[in-house]
Amino acid sequence: MSGSLSLLQQRHSVPSRQLGEPAPDEATLHALLEAAIRVPDHGKLVPFRLIRLQEEAKLRFGERLTAIAIRNSPDMSEAKLEKERLRYTFAPLVMVVVACLHADSKVPEIEQKLCAGNVAYNILLGAYALGYGAQWLTGWAAYDREVATILGLAEDEHVIGFIHLGTPQLEVPDRDRPVLADLLGTWTP
């Protein structure tokens, strides 16, 4: 059985700064995303969508976010501004996973967000299975409504995460993981 679980046992994030070319080609990316959207979806709402950032668009997106950062924190250091500007440029591809919430549904909002979160996690798993690296990041931009407007999100849409994809440029050691015995309990009446 452990062979069947090896993907889950070995998957780890690769920092976006350590992701380089190549990204998945168009056919591989399409297959990866087709697999990633096969998630539990109570009510069959499809409460998610994807936005691709690549090539020059990644830098332009970072520049727009830098302008927001300057307005929000005019005293931000040049180093931090440069970090904002370049944040999305390291990995060759960034997928934005968006939750599309249906307020009129009987399905609770949290379940809809979890559905979209499963899409993000499936992208991470799928990328690892295909030999690529990935990192799921959020940061302030994921929660900022002005950034949502830049991305063309509707009022009922929210960024779940920015999934940075590419080929690992360095071997990344796994981090310490929690101990199951510390987390698992048994309920008894």
Side-chain angles (χ1 to χ4, degrees), residues 67-87:
I68 296 169
I70 290 170
R71 280 195 305 276
N72 291 341
S73 300
D75 57 344
M76 187 177 284
S77 73
E78 284 300 319
K80 286 186 178 182
L81 289 173
E82 186 69 1
K83 182 179 178 181
E84 291 297 337
R85 190 172 82 77
L86 299 177
R87 182 180 305 275

Side-chain angles (χ1 to χ4, degrees), residues 51-65:
I51 300 170
R52 182 189 333 208
L53 298 175
Q54 62 187 54
E55 299 169 354
E56 190 69 18
K58 297 180 303 170
L59 180 59
R60 297 293 164 248
F61 183 65
E63 289 171 346
R64 304 268 308 262
L65 269 56

Side-chain angles (χ1 to χ4, degrees), residues 127-163:
Y128 183 77
L130 293 169
Y132 294 97
Q135 186 177 29
W136 176 349
L137 297 172
T138 52
W140 69 270
Y143 308 105
D144 187 278
R145 287 316 296 174
E146 192 172 352
V147 174
T149 299
I150 290 170
L151 289 168
L153 305 190
E155 194 60 37
D156 61 350
E157 294 183 317
H158 307 276
V159 172
I160 291 295
F162 299 94
I163 311 299

Side-chain angles (χ1 to χ4, degrees), residues 110-121:
I110 185 67
E111 290 186 30
Q112 296 179 52
K113 286 182 178 178
L114 288 169
C115 180
N118 280 321
V119 172
Y121 189 60

Side-chain angles (χ1 to χ4, degrees), residues 93-135:
L93 176 64
V94 179
M95 295 301 305
V96 185
V97 180
V98 177
C100 310
L101 304 177
H102 301 262
D104 58 341
S105 173
K106 67 177 180 161
V107 177
E109 184 178 292
I110 185 67
E111 290 186 30
Q112 296 179 52
K113 286 182 178 178
L114 288 169
C115 180
N118 280 321
V119 172
Y121 189 60
N122 276 354
I123 294 172
L124 294 180
L125 283 175
Y128 183 77
L130 293 169
Y132 294 97
Q135 186 177 29

